[in-house]
Amino acid sequence: ALTLEEKAKAWAKVESEYNSAAPHGPRTTYMLQNKWKLLKKQLKKDVATDRRETVRTGGGPPHKLEKPLPEEIFSRVMEITSSYSVMGSTTSPDSNAGKCTNQLGIKVS
């Protein structure tokens, strides 16, 4: 875990590098942190919608998702954030998953 001081230094570095390369007006650390939070929030929303639409029933062709984030930004945010923070846990919350059988004797995974 990082200390608050280490995080502040890292964000100050991000601000400095961003403002030195940005063709428009400077951005504050607060503005950059806000944008980062919004990007992560949008990414989580996109992943949740995709997951929900994947398991949706009702027949017909699969729903075509329109992602508000451009693919380049989407993939870059996914690289930086942990997949757990975006996708959630991929393991079953049941510690007996894969070991149980249902009433018909079929293994439940």
Side-chain angles (χ1 to χ4, degrees):
L2 297 175
T3 65
L4 290 176
E5 184 179 323
E6 290 171 326
K7 288 180 182 182
K9 285 179 184 177
W11 276 108
K13 183 178 178 184
V14 168
E15 177 185 3
S16 174
E17 289 180 16
Y18 180 86
N19 287 330
S20 67
H24 42 72
R27 302 287 193 258
T28 64
T29 298
Y30 177 78
M31 294 166 78
L32 294 171
Q33 286 174 327
N34 244 3
K35 184 62 176 178
W36 177 246
K37 288 175 187 174
L38 290 173
L39 283 171
K40 288 194 306 182
K41 184 178 180 179
Q42 185 62 52
L43 177 67
K44 288 178 183 184
K45 184 178 178 182
D46 289 351
V47 168
T49 301
D50 191 31
R51 183 181 302 145
R52 192 171 43 255
E53 290 297 325
T54 300
V55 297
R56 190 171 103 178
T57 61
H63 179 72
K64 177 81 172 163
L65 292 175
E66 294 185 25
K67 298 196 182 295
L69 286 179
E71 186 60 37
E72 180 181 330
I73 294 174
F74 182 90
S75 60
R76 186 70 180 124
V77 173
M78 279 296 285
E79 284 176 21
I80 295 171
T81 60
S82 71
S83 62
Y84 180 79
S85 69
V86 175
M87 310 281 278
S89 177
T90 57
T91 59
S92 173
D94 183 2
S95 62
N96 292 326
K99 299 176 187 173
C100 299
T101 56
N102 65 13
Q103 292 176 350
L104 299 174
I106 300 171
K107 187 175 183 178
V108 179
S109 53

